[in-house]
Amino acid sequence: MRHLTEIALTEVGGFQVGHAEDSEAMTGCTAILFDDCSPAGVDVRGGGPASRETPLLNPLADAKGLHALLLSGGSAFGLDAGGGVMKYLEEHDIGFDVGITKVPLVCTSCLFDLGVGRMDVRPDAAMAYRACENASRDTVPEGNVGAGMGCTIGKYRGISRAMKSGLGTYAVQAGRIKVGAIVAVNALGDVYDIDNGQMIAGLRTPDGKSLSSTEEEILGDIADTSSLFSRNTNTTIGAIFTNGAFDKSQLTKIAGMTHNGYARTIRPVHTTADGDSIYAVSVGKETADLNVVGTIAAYIMGKAINRAVLAAEGLGGLPAAREL
């Protein structure tokens, strides 16, 4: 878009990002540490989410914001990794002051990567602690890193016809307003270019040499898809950061608008076999229009999804887009 200038994700300001992963087990996690307790909202659209402490972001809840956010592999087992972020923050005297201690406010969302690598190795508190130690304001690595290590896409016919995906970022500036996105793409569906609508990666043909359309194959199976959607083995999890000043209810709306970026690049999306979730976080004080930021957020989330797929490298017998 000609009115948007691309910037590095951490140039949005107000946070650091760190990864930790196990490449052999094909799993990992990504920690986002906020400089201050930052207002946040969340919108969960998928039918099978794994999350921890997301009720904090209900506009009716008393919590004013978050100190950190963790994106992790490991399915529901990976939710334990959130404790490692809390331990790191507590040791650094960061959290909500309750008089006798400070309690870090940390949300965690996990994706299902147990079907690749090793099922018995999942992100835990120690791995999440390392991700916090690795956090910086440098350029954020993409592809097979952090929560993106075990990501795959195009799994409608099972893992044998799937492809490797990963973690991606994208950020822009328009005037004084900055908006950034980070996402780990672990979808049932295929991924399409947000600018030209062309399929980038996803379900492969039976011979594995070219791409097939998940939507078309679903329609061909319309008589009985019950068993094909019975397992919650996916989930795309991401977050939007902006220096615009918004409260929790406004950020919840922005998170909802950002899901349009999922819908424009992942097909199908928000199925019962996905746990698709998006957080939106305000890390600045600039006056901004909610609808403008939400529109930008949807577009850059699509760009981040594309980056996640294009930055990934083949692993575990699964090819990536760059290799097909």
Side-chain angles (χ1 to χ4, degrees):
M1 290 188 178
R2 59 190 177 91
H3 297 293
L4 303 177
T5 301
E6 185 180 354
I7 60 175
L9 178 64
T10 51
E11 286 186 63
V12 175
F15 62 92
Q16 302 179 66
V17 180
H19 299 308
E21 61 277 320
D22 183 327
S23 59
E24 178 186 358
M26 289 182 68
T27 194
C29 59
T30 298
I32 301 101
L33 309 181
F34 303 113
D35 296 352
D36 301 299
C37 186
S38 299
V42 66
D43 190 324
V44 180
R45 299 276 177 100
S51 60
R52 167 175 164 162
E53 291 278 53
T54 51
L56 287 174
L57 305 185
N58 186 318
L60 299 179
D62 183 60
K64 300 300 185 290
L66 295 179
H67 297 105
L69 173 64
L70 182 68
L71 307 178
S72 177
S75 187
F77 296 109
L79 294 174
D80 286 345
V85 181
M86 293 190 68
K87 181 176 186 292
Y88 178 88
L89 293 177
E90 183 183 28
E91 290 177 356
H92 288 77
D93 197 36
I94 296 171
F96 177 69
D97 194 342
V98 294
I100 55 175
T101 188
K102 290 184 178 179
V103 180
L105 303 180
V106 181
C107 280
T108 303
S109 277
C110 296
L111 55 84
F112 187 102
D113 56 8
L114 304 181
V116 296
R118 290 181 55 182
M119 178 275 294
D120 60 337
V121 176
R122 304 102 181 211
D124 56 12
M127 181 183 284
Y129 191 96
R130 291 199 302 274
C132 293
E133 291 181 312
N134 293 336
S136 76
R137 302 180 201 278
D138 297 336
T139 300
V140 179
E142 298 175 321
N144 296 5
V145 295
M149 178 56 71
C151 284
T152 51
I153 56 174
K155 287 168 282 186
Y156 179 66
R157 296 298 190 193
I159 200 69
S160 64
R161 288 175 59 185
M163 292 182 65
K164 186 71 179 69
S165 181
L167 179 137
T169 70
Y170 199 82
V172 297
Q173 182 168 357
R176 296 189 307 275
I177 303 305
K178 300 177 182 179
V179 189
I182 187 169
V183 63
V185 184
N186 190 60
L188 171 80
D190 310 320
V191 172
Y192 291 76
D193 189 299
I194 193 169
D195 292 316
N196 62 30
Q198 297 298 310
M199 185 173 170
I200 300 173
L203 180 66
R204 289 179 291 148
T205 52
D207 64 8
K209 296 180 180 179
S210 57
L211 298 175
S212 182
S213 166
T214 295
E215 288 181 317
E216 289 295 330
E217 297 212 15
I218 286 174
L219 293 176
D221 296 338
I222 200 165
D224 180 17
T225 59
S226 58
S227 63
L228 295 170
F229 287 91
S230 63
R231 297 179 180 178
N232 300 321
T233 57
N234 309 286
T235 296
T236 297
I237 48 178
I240 286 290
F241 314 107
T242 178
N243 66 346
F246 298 104
D247 60 27
K248 286 201 294 184
S249 62
Q250 293 170 317
L251 289 162
T252 299
K253 177 61 177 177
I254 290 173
M257 293 179 71
T258 307
H259 271 285
N260 293 331
Y262 278 21
R264 290 159 67 184
T265 52
I266 302 173
R267 304 177 201 165
V269 73
H270 303 147
T271 73
T272 55
D274 293 283
D276 304 323
S277 305
I278 296 178
Y279 296 85
V281 187
S282 175
V283 290
K285 302 298 183 183
E286 294 290 343
T287 300
D289 183 273
L290 179 156
N291 297 296
V292 172
V293 171
T295 299
I296 294 172
Y299 177 70
I300 67 169
M301 180 57 76
K303 295 290 282 187
I305 289 169
N306 291 169
R307 281 266 190 91
V309 170
L310 296 174
E313 298 178 1
L315 190 66
L318 295 168
R322 63 172 68 182
E323 301 158 357
L324 191 64

